[in-house]
């Protein structure tokens, strides 16, 4: 098939490269010229394991091109929308202007009988609004919603081998035809037995935001309990292991720590509450506000631990921050808890030296006031306190003995609960985790 992907960011670039890998001819379209230039040269514009190889092979085989000229996408059978839906400044609602602009652009070039497929995460009701827009502009073109569940850091695998496919389609024959077109796009995944759920448009939109709201709630649940564990002298990790054995609960997403961040979960739960308000059902999702508050408080808790460990003030103290990206195996620093902690400590007068295997460039663009060291050893030099905030393997595997030779003092906050407290204490460290005795 001929496939276009509008929006070549974290989601769209991977989707485009993966679609080419599946044998489709793909035109990636973005309004950002520098992004298109880099992608056309086979260079990923962000860190995502496996993406550079996929880009190169797609381009070399002549199946993948990137352009800013939307007319090059005119022959596509299927147009994916993968543009951003960020939080609107000053509001919790999602900013849908990029989605509307992409739809308008596609409607202007799409051939009759082609299909537009939304992948961006949108508030429920958005697709219905877009269907109306399309009826005015290109009545022969269909719209479906196919939410994306990929995880940054595993995006290539998640796109090539999704754990489920959800198609939201319009009613009637048209919806049947649209679902068949999506089946052709995802033929390999379907042949491999990937579950496929076909719904109406509203359900497909809601599936995505509900999944993210559930994950966020799970994380904030364990973090809230970790606060109780901390004052009660209990161990949140053992507790999570114990309740996680219950198949109804499950162990995943029950790791207490500095909380969630990134370009999805925080803005998605806020947009969900904003949409609930618009629908006159704000109280049904009021708990998500508390999920958000708990999550923000985790960052504060880490800062408070730092102040306490350094005797009541971090002013003029040297603090090594291990990690700036919002999660390991990603360079994404959007709403990163790690970066937030670093900025707060800097604001309290600390000399913050932040390090990260991949995220420094992005972090530096947002927060040039921080000092960055690409090498973890350089960041650790003479530190009064080490704060592990993003659980990259190289930080998980730090040797407590070697680390103590580099730092000035022996204080460590394990804001992801990934180190062995007994081992670090035995080697002379004052270890503080989240909700660990
Ligand atoms: P991003 O900001 O990395 O990428 C968005 C891209 O869209 C940018 O490159 C931007 O230049 C481009 N764009 C904006 N307007 C355009 C237009 N009119 N035509 C063509 N390109 C345009 O964002 P992202 O992280 O890739 O997220 C995109 C969407 O996917 C969001 O709705 C997000 O919630 C959703 N999503 C993201 C992930 C993820 O892990 N990043 C996972 C699932 C869903």
């Amino acid at each position: 098939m001929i496939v276009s992907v509008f929006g070549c960011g974290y989601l769209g670039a991977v989707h485009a490269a993966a679609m080419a890998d599946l044998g489709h001819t793909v035109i990636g379209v973005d309004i950002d010229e520098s992004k298109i230039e880099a992608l056309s040269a086979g260079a990923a514009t962000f860190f995502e394991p496996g993406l550079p190889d996929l880009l190169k092979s797609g381009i070399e085989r002549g199946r993948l091109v990137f352009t800013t000229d939307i007319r090059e996408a005119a022959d596509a059978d299927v147009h994916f929308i993968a543009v951003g839906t960020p939080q609107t400044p000053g509001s919790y609602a999602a900013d849908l202007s990029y989605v509307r602009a992409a739809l308008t652009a596609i409607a202007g070039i799409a051939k009759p009988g082609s299909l537009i497929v939304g992948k961006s995460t949108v508030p429920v009701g958005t697709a219905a609004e877009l269907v109306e827009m399309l009826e005015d502009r290109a009545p022969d073109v269909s719209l479906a919603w196919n939410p994306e569940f990929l995880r940054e850091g595993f995006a290539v695998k998640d796109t090539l081998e999704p754990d489920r496919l959800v198609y939201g389609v319009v009613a009637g024959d048209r919806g049947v035809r649209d679902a068949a077109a999506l089946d052709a796009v995802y033929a390999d995944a379907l042949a491999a037995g990937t579950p496929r759920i076909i719904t109406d448009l509203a359900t497909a939109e809601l599936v995505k935001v509900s999944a993210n709201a559930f994950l966020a709630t799970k994380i904030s649940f364990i973090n809230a309990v970790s606060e109780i564990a901390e004052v009660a002298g209990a161990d949140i990790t053992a507790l999570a292991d114990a309740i996680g054995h219950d198949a109804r609960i499950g162990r995943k997403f029950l790791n207490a720590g500095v909380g969630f961040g990134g370009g999805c979960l925080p803005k998605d739960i806020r947009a969900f509450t904003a949409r609930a308000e618009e629908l006159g059902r704000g109280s049904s999702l009021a708990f998500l506000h508390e999920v958000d508050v708990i999550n923000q408080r985790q960052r504060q808790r880490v800062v408070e631990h730092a102040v306490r460990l350094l005797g009541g003030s971090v002013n003029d103290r040297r603090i090594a921050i291990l990690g700036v990206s919002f999660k390991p195996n990603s360079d994404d620093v959007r709403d990163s808890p790690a970066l937030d902690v670093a900025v707060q400590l800097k604001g309290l007068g600390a000399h913050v030296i932040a390090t990260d295997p991949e995220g420094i460039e992005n972090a530096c663009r947002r927060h040039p006031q921080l000092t960055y060291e690409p090498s973890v050893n350089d960041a650790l030099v003479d530190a009064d306190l080490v704060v592990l905030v993003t659980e990259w393997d190289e930080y998980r595997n730090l040797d407590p003995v070697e680390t103590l030779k580099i730092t000035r003092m022996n204080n460590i906050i394990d804001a992801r609960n990934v180190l062995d407290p007994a081992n670090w204490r035995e080697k002379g460290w004052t270890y503080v985790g989240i909700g660990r005795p």
Side-chain angles (χ1 to χ4, degrees), residues 156-346:
V156 169
K157 185 175 183 300
D158 287 352
T159 308
L160 290 172
E161 299 162 33
D163 51 12
R164 79 283 212 194
L165 289 162
V166 176
Y167 310 163
V169 294
V170 295
D173 289 348
R174 201 171 207 182
V176 172
R177 197 194 65 198
D178 297 344
L182 279 167
D183 279 352
V185 170
Y186 296 121
D188 285 16
L190 292 170
T194 305
R196 180 196 61 167
I197 295 135
I198 301 182
T199 71
D200 52 81
L201 294 169
T203 305
E205 294 168 314
L206 264 180
V207 164
K208 174 62 191 175
V209 289
S210 308
N212 276 1
F214 189 82
L215 294 173
T217 303
K218 213 172 166 189
I219 297 170
S220 279
F221 171 81
I222 201 69
N223 279 333
V225 178
S226 82
E227 228 174 319
I228 305 301
E230 210 159 275
V231 290
D235 182 344
I236 197 67
T237 306
L239 182 153
D241 289 345
I243 64 172
H245 280 299
D246 184 331
R248 294 168 303 175
I249 296 174
R251 180 63 178 83
K252 286 183 181 162
F253 274 63
L254 277 186
N255 295 319
V258 71
F260 58 82
C264 291
L265 254 50
K267 63 115 175 136
D268 287 348
I269 60 168
R270 290 173 200 151
F272 201 7
T273 60
R275 188 67 186 125
E277 290 282 351
E278 286 165 11
L279 293 170
R281 292 290 187 277
S283 52
S284 63
L285 295 185
F287 74 95
L288 284 180
H289 175 68
E290 195 55 37
V291 166
D292 198 6
V293 169
I294 293 166
N295 191 54
Q296 294 299 321
R297 192 160 65 229
Q298 292 308 104
R299 303 172 184 195
Q300 193 58 40
R301 281 176 70 191
V302 172
V303 172
E304 285 163 11
H305 278 314
V307 170
R308 194 176 43 76
L309 266 177
L310 292 178
S313 168
V314 297
N315 192 37
D316 266 344
R317 307 300 288 274
R318 206 175 155 90
I319 302 181
I321 298 285
L322 307 190
V324 293
S325 53
F326 89 94
K327 58 143 87 170
N329 300 313
S330 173
D331 65 354
D332 193 348
V333 301
R334 290 178 289 182
D335 204 344
S336 165
L339 207 44
D340 203 4
V341 166
V343 169
Q344 286 194 45
L345 290 170
K346 170 86 180 169

Side-chain angles (χ1 to χ4, degrees), residues 7 9-11 30 35 83 85 121 148 150 152 264 267 334:
Y10 283 93
L11 163 56
D30 204 289
K35 214 171 254 187
V83 300
T85 49
T121 304
E148 178 56 59
L150 69 80
E152 285 176 25
C264 291
K267 63 115 175 136
R334 290 178 289 182

Side-chain angles (χ1 to χ4, degrees), residues 27 70-77 79 109-111 114:
I27 305 103
I70 60 168
R71 287 168 303 184
E72 288 187 40
D75 288 335
D77 306 300
H79 300 273
I109 53 116
K111 64 182 183 189
S114 60

